[in-house]
Every structure is written in C-alpha cells, then in structure tokens.
Amino acid sequence: MKGKSLISINDYSKEEQISILELAAHFEQNPIQKILDGYVVATLFFEPSTRTRLSFESAVNRLGGKVIGFSDSSSSSVKKGESLKDTILTVSNYSDLIVMRNPVEGSARYASEVSKVPVINAGDGSNQHPTQTLLDLYTIRQTQKTLDNLHVAFVGDLKYGRTVHSLVQALCNYNTTFYFISPNELKLPSYIKMNIKNSNLKYYQLTDMAEVMSNIDILYMTRVQRERFSDPLEYERVKDAYILKRDMLTDIKENMKILHPLPRVNEISEDVDDTPQAYYFQQALNGVFVRQALITSILGIK
Ligand code: CP
C-alpha cells in the first residue's frame, strides 16, 4: 500500500483491508513507537470533526511524527479564494501525507489526482468515509471474532450517512445479511443496494427497529445528518425517527453489540451507555490504532 491514496473503501482490496486490521492489532498492543520521526502529516478539515481529526493526530503524535493543518478552513487562504487544487499542491510540498475532510462529494478523489503525496479521505460529503469503515471492521471483528456471515442492522440516516455507504460496501466481502431501517425519506441509495445485489447477498428494508432486534449481531446506529438537508422542515420531520432506549435491549442475541460512528445527538439514549451491548466509545478508540496502521502502511514504514 506504499504511496496508495485511500479515497473510497473499494480502492483497497479485501486483502489490503485485512492487512490494515492485522497491523492495527499490533498497534493496539504497542501504540507508542517512535517510527515517524521526520515525517509530516497534514490534516485539512474543511468540515467539523472530533474523532477523525484528533485520532489521526493522536496516531501521528504517538508514533513520533509531526502534524500540520487546519481544523477550520476560514483560517486558511481558502478564505481569500484559493482553489482546492492550489491548496493541495501547496500542502503537498510541506507534508508526506494529506488527510482531508471536505463537504463536496468527489473532492477527495480530485485532491488525490493533483497531490504530489498520498491523500486519505476523511469524509467527502455524503459519499465515503473509508477510514471509519476500517475501524468499524476492526471493531466488528474484535467483538464477534469474525467478519463472516454476520447479520448487521443499520438504523437512521442511510441516505446521507457516508459511514454507512462505505461500511456496507466493505461488508459485501463477508457474506453479510443486511437490515436497513430508516424513514422513507432517508433510505439507502440505489447504487449501494446494487453493490449488495451484485455480491448475491440479502438485504431487508424496514421502518421498525423492533422487528430485527432478536436477529442481529451488530446494531449500527447513525445520526440524522442535519447539515445535508436543504429543507430544515424535512429534517425536523425525521430527526427523532429512531431513539434506542435501554428497555429495547431485552430480546437480543448474547453477542449483539451496538456501534455508532458518533457524534450522537439523541438516537441512543444515555441509559444505554452502561449496558454490555454499548461499544461505541471503544469503537472510537480503535480509530487511533487503525489510523496508525494506515499511515505507516501508506508511508511504507510497516
Ligand atoms: N465518526 C466521525 O467521523 O466523527 P467526527 O465527525 O467527530 O470526526
């Protein structure tokens, strides 16, 4: 994977994805290693982030590298009208790797085409969030001891949720049975359903979460993505469609775990947090190890 950008999860083969998960397990055991001495990673965030940006930066810092960048593009020359192309060309003079989040779908692919150094997509609009997918795969494997033959339910905003889009594509490699629970307005896009069909896998679209609770191994909750709605009234109509509460966790499989890419708004009640099923904060921690694995693989150090 040396020098290889990661823009869409399908840019990396199943074998390449697994090699990142294997290496992440090594970093989970040894997260502090001074192997990035002299390397500079740029984090360019044109959209807000807590976990993705800070876990990338934590990953680099714990490996002895340096981070440059911005968390708010209004503090950069973008504010003066500089183009994305010129920004990327400039930053690729100053760094060995660029991690970018941008609200425009396709912007990360474009950045990778003009950059002199590899680019990692940290989320482009509603399209893809491939590093979240790698940490989701790592977490699913950690909790289930396998990625194969699982029953996975996705709940909430399946239309705009980029973490859902890239994770569904990755799980098509593992004989997954999918359950998609959303309001009609927020159904999974057709092109992702086509990926599932082309993999000869089964999926079910429902509106009631209760119908699947006893069947599933993973419950992947998502936030309704307010920032993607053009009509605020439509957001108001659907924002409280699904709220997971502790008393809904009665008739479930023993191994069932609840994941969420976070941030959470109100879709998981706080009384769920101390149940044995809640795993979303460990999931966020895994982001550091997976991103250490990804960075060192792309830089050709591991
Ligand atoms: N999961 C995720 O992308 O979180 P942030 O928006 O906080 O980075």
Side-chain angles (χ1 to χ4, degrees):
M1 276 158 279
K2 185 175 178 188
K4 191 169 175 180
S5 292
L6 176 61
I7 307 302
S8 164
I9 192 63
N10 287 334
D11 292 346
Y12 282 19
S13 67
K14 179 182 177 183
E15 291 69 31
E16 287 173 324
Q17 293 172 29
I18 288 172
S19 80
I20 297 291
L21 307 192
E22 302 288 351
L23 187 54
H26 157 77
F27 281 115
E28 184 171 7
Q29 297 305 312
N30 303 287
I32 300 171
Q33 306 178 32
K34 300 299 172 198
I35 54 179
L36 284 188
D37 186 32
Y39 286 92
V40 176
V41 173
T43 55
L44 309 184
F45 277 67
F46 296 80
E47 258 193 353
S49 169
T50 296
R51 277 145 293 275
T52 309
R53 184 174 66 82
L54 295 180
S55 65
F56 263 113
E57 295 188 359
S58 175
V60 174
N61 286 329
R62 286 180 175 175
L63 297 179
K66 294 275 188 287
V67 177
I68 59 171
F70 51 77
S71 57
D72 177 355
S73 62
S74 68
S75 68
S76 78
S77 287
V78 170
K79 179 84 173 169
K80 303 176 200 159
E82 187 166 44
S83 67
L84 180 62
K85 179 181 177 184
D86 289 1
T87 302
I88 295 294
L89 277 173
T90 302
V91 175
S92 63
N93 281 330
Y94 305 152
S95 60
D96 302 293
L97 177 64
I98 293 175
V99 178
M100 185 182 84
R101 171 171 289 184
N102 192 294
V104 179
E105 294 185 20
S107 55
R109 180 72 65 200
Y110 176 70
S112 73
E113 287 165 2
V114 299
S115 178
K116 293 187 270 186
V117 299
V119 173
I120 297 176
N121 181 7
D124 63 325
S126 300
N127 185 31
Q128 283 273 315
H129 194 345
T131 69
Q132 178 71 41
T133 296
L134 291 170
L135 79 90
D136 291 343
L137 292 176
Y138 185 82
T139 306
I140 293 170
R141 195 171 75 155
Q142 186 175 62
T143 61
Q144 307 297 320
K145 311 298 173 216
T146 182
L147 286 167
D148 293 313
N149 306 312
L150 297 173
H151 289 240
V152 181
F154 290 85
V155 178
D157 185 349
L158 311 186
K159 178 180 180 184
Y160 297 119
R162 57 194 172 200
T163 70
V164 174
H165 303 163
S166 38
L167 181 55
V168 170
Q169 288 178 327
L171 286 174
C172 284
N173 289 322
Y174 297 100
N175 198 32
T176 309
T177 304
F178 297 97
Y179 304 86
F180 298 119
I181 298 123
S182 71
N184 278 329
E185 299 90 330
L186 298 178
K187 280 185 171 167
L188 193 72
S190 303
Y191 74 94
I192 307 276
K193 286 187 269 196
M194 195 57 73
N195 291 155
I196 301 172
K197 280 186 192 153
N198 291 342
S199 305
N200 293 317
L201 298 177
K202 288 198 191 116
Y203 73 86
Y204 303 92
Q205 292 191 105
L206 309 115
T207 51
D208 184 359
M209 208 187 335
E211 284 183 52
V212 305
M213 291 299 277
S214 60
N215 292 342
I216 56 175
D217 304 298
I218 294 290
L219 177 61
Y220 194 95
M221 297 294 298
T222 66
R223 169 180 72 93
V224 177
Q225 310 261 308
R226 183 177 53 189
E227 64 274 29
R228 310 282 177 224
F229 284 74
S230 49
D231 177 357
L233 288 177
E234 193 185 339
Y235 170 72
E236 288 299 319
R237 265 198 304 278
V238 294
K239 71 181 170 63
D240 296 324
Y242 300 101
I243 299 177
L244 181 66
K245 299 198 169 123
R246 192 184 184 102
D247 63 11
M248 295 161 73
L249 300 173
T250 48
D251 182 19
I252 55 171
K253 288 170 81 172
E254 203 176 325
N255 60 308
M256 195 274 264
K257 293 292 178 210
I258 304 160
L259 304 188
H260 190 312
L262 303 176
R264 146 177 71 180
V265 181
N266 65 345
E267 58 281 354
I268 301 180
S269 168
E270 285 193 14
D271 66 5
V272 174
D273 293 357
D274 61 356
T275 65
Q277 289 74 38
Y279 209 79
Y280 24 93
F281 290 109
Q282 291 94 327
Q283 180 186 3
L285 169 64
N286 287 338
V288 175
F289 315 128
V290 167
R291 289 173 173 127
Q292 286 181 318
L294 185 61
I295 291 164
T296 54
S297 296
I298 293 176
L299 292 177
I301 292 163
K302 287 279 188 184

